[in-house]
Amino acid sequence: MIASRPSLLTDRPHLRPPLEEAVEVGLSTDELTRAERDQFADLHYALRIADR
């Protein structure tokens, strides 16, 4: 979704910090499947490049 609508992150910078925190929490758990972990990693990457 972020790839097709990057404005979700760029137009709402106030939403990025809580989303970044949630992604970090999600990535730190051992309870994710490989697919879920990949989705969190993709979102983490999207957040990083949204700051550029």
Side-chain angles (χ1 to χ4, degrees):
M1 177 175 19
I2 299 299
S4 65
R5 298 193 191 280
S7 63
L8 291 173
L9 295 177
T10 57
D11 292 351
R12 296 169 182 89
H14 65 283
L15 295 178
R16 284 199 305 257
L19 183 55
E20 289 170 354
E21 184 178 333
V23 168
E24 291 295 328
V25 170
L27 286 172
S28 68
T29 185
D30 293 332
E31 298 179 17
L32 298 177
T33 66
R34 178 66 183 175
E36 291 167 337
R37 185 167 298 284
D38 288 346
Q39 290 176 354
F40 269 99
D42 290 345
L43 185 52
H44 186 255
Y45 179 73
L47 287 164
R48 284 189 10 226
I49 64 173
D51 288 331
R52 291 184 177 181

